[in-house]
Amino acid sequence: MTYDALYARQSIEKKDSISVESQLEYCRYETHGKPYIEYIDKGFSGKNTNRPSFENMINDIYAGKIERVIVYKLDRISRSILDFTNMMEIFQKYHVEFLSSTEKFDTSTPIGRAMLNICIVFAQLERETIQKRVSDAYYARCKRGFYMGGRIPYGYRLTNTMIDNIHTSMYEEVPEESEQLKLIYSMYADTDNSLGDIVRYLNEHNIKNRRGANWNCARISEMLRNPIYVKADTDVYQFFQSQGANIHNPINDFMGYNACYLYKGVSTTKKQYDLSDKEIVLAPHKGFIPSKIWLACRIRCLNNRQSTKTCKAKNSWLAGKIKCGNCGYALTIRKAKTKWARYFVCSQAGNHGNCKGTECTIYADVLEEYILFAIKQRLLEFQKLSYSVDIEKGQKNIRSKLKQITNHTNIWKILSFEDKQTVVDILIKVIQIANGNIEIVWNI
């Protein structure tokens, strides 16, 4: 026995939209007493076919249960040309008729199918027009300083307000949180303090974040870049202008009182430090970080990011290769005013206090000497092995490569820092250290 399939969809309930029940009433009239199955998708868009009841209907078509699909209107089942074309191919393959109760399409004739395709083109056009209106409305609200949702920044809470006779929300300063932010900004404006220094200070003084957890460098860096806190004046305007941002307020509005909203705008980049094509709008709330301090921190963040693209750590050619065997985090190098000027420490232990690190001090000079000896011993093994290796045509000569690296290790003391790092990158994947034990994971 076969059935008519009555399909109804409603993305959102609005006064001017037809309800699911009304759609089904139109569809039931077209069955003329024939048995039918109802398929209903509420809260789903027509931009694609990822809808549970639609998929159930298609499965019933595959099973041979459906003879005809009836909808109230074409755009109830699809607003995508590609999806509609694929759907019609399925209908034709399984000899399923399609009927729009208000548009009276007859898919058994070429003219009917052509008219159907024309209508689906306009249905997709309507969907894209709606999306454009939504996008335009969003940016129009952004430009007027309306609250657009999202996570409430640390240092603020929401309060109700009126903008242009429209009820909305704005940020209001939370004094106990803003004082901590002022401390963070003042510390980072001092170039003697790193992000790690700030995190250690906060955690050592039991200053927790909003969730009651310890701070971390990533979260501090995010807050330092956010213009939501700055007292935006003409210097802030000129900074964003120099970075290629789209500023929606004239320079005369930057009076050193309001903070700024930063939106992604139409930019396709995901880089946090790239401000080109980002949208900058003056916010209705008051900033509490002076522009001079905010700019010093923001420019320092920018310069740090640019320098890391071209420079590697110069304190040890092992930097980036050593991991803590207890927590898996990297070991970073520190300097001390003693005979042993450099030593490694677990970054997790230093910044968060969540790892006990190693039981003994790891002096960089001693570790570098140990690793260099291990590299030479490893190369001796592979020099013997390489003579028995069959090298396929087109591959690099293994013996030649090993000989080159061996020559580098023999003149290690006069090698440049970059050459030492290159040798380590080729030979070693990672060095894990825990409780006095050293484990080298080799690439060869």
Side-chain angles (χ1 to χ4, degrees), residues 113-239:
R113 289 192 293 272
M115 290 300 296
L116 203 59
N117 286 328
I118 291 172
C119 286
I120 201 65
V121 168
F122 281 100
Q124 177 167 329
L125 177 61
E126 181 185 8
R127 176 175 64 84
E128 293 174 351
T129 302
I130 292 172
Q131 288 177 330
K132 184 66 168 61
R133 286 203 302 269
V134 171
S135 177
D136 289 345
Y138 179 88
Y139 287 114
R141 287 176 64 85
C142 290
K143 294 173 186 177
R144 295 166 69 185
F146 287 111
Y147 173 66
M148 301 304 295
R151 183 179 66 185
I152 301 173
Y154 189 79
Y156 292 112
R157 55 175 164 251
L158 278 184
T159 184
N160 295 326
T161 189
M162 291 273 290
I163 299 178
D164 296 339
N165 295 321
I166 296 176
H167 289 280
T168 183
S169 299
M170 63 179 286
Y171 295 138
E172 181 181 67
E173 183 179 346
V174 179
E176 56 270 25
E177 294 182 359
S178 65
E179 287 303 314
Q180 294 172 8
L181 279 161
K182 291 173 185 177
L183 172 64
I184 290 170
Y185 270 93
S186 63
M187 289 184 68
Y188 197 67
D190 182 352
T191 55
D192 289 337
N193 294 319
S194 66
L195 290 174
D197 292 331
I198 297 173
V199 169
R200 280 188 292 276
Y201 178 89
L202 294 174
N203 294 337
E204 286 170 2
H205 288 77
N206 201 31
I207 301 175
K208 306 294 184 180
N209 62 25
R210 186 175 285 166
R211 299 190 307 274
N214 285 339
W215 291 97
N216 58 67
C217 290
R219 186 72 182 95
I220 296 293
S221 177
E222 179 186 339
M223 293 192 302
L224 290 170
R225 298 192 309 270
N226 198 339
I228 206 77
Y229 305 115
V230 67
K231 295 180 178 180
D233 57 13
T234 55
D235 290 337
V236 174
Y237 179 95
Q238 291 169 352
F239 166 77

Side-chain angles (χ1 to χ4, degrees), residues 20 46 60 74 108 114 146 167 179 225 267 284 296 367 427 429 441:
V20 165
D60 286 344
L74 182 60
S108 64
F146 287 111
H167 289 280
E179 287 303 314
R225 298 192 309 270
S267 174
L367 182 61
L427 297 178
K429 183 177 182 180
V441 181

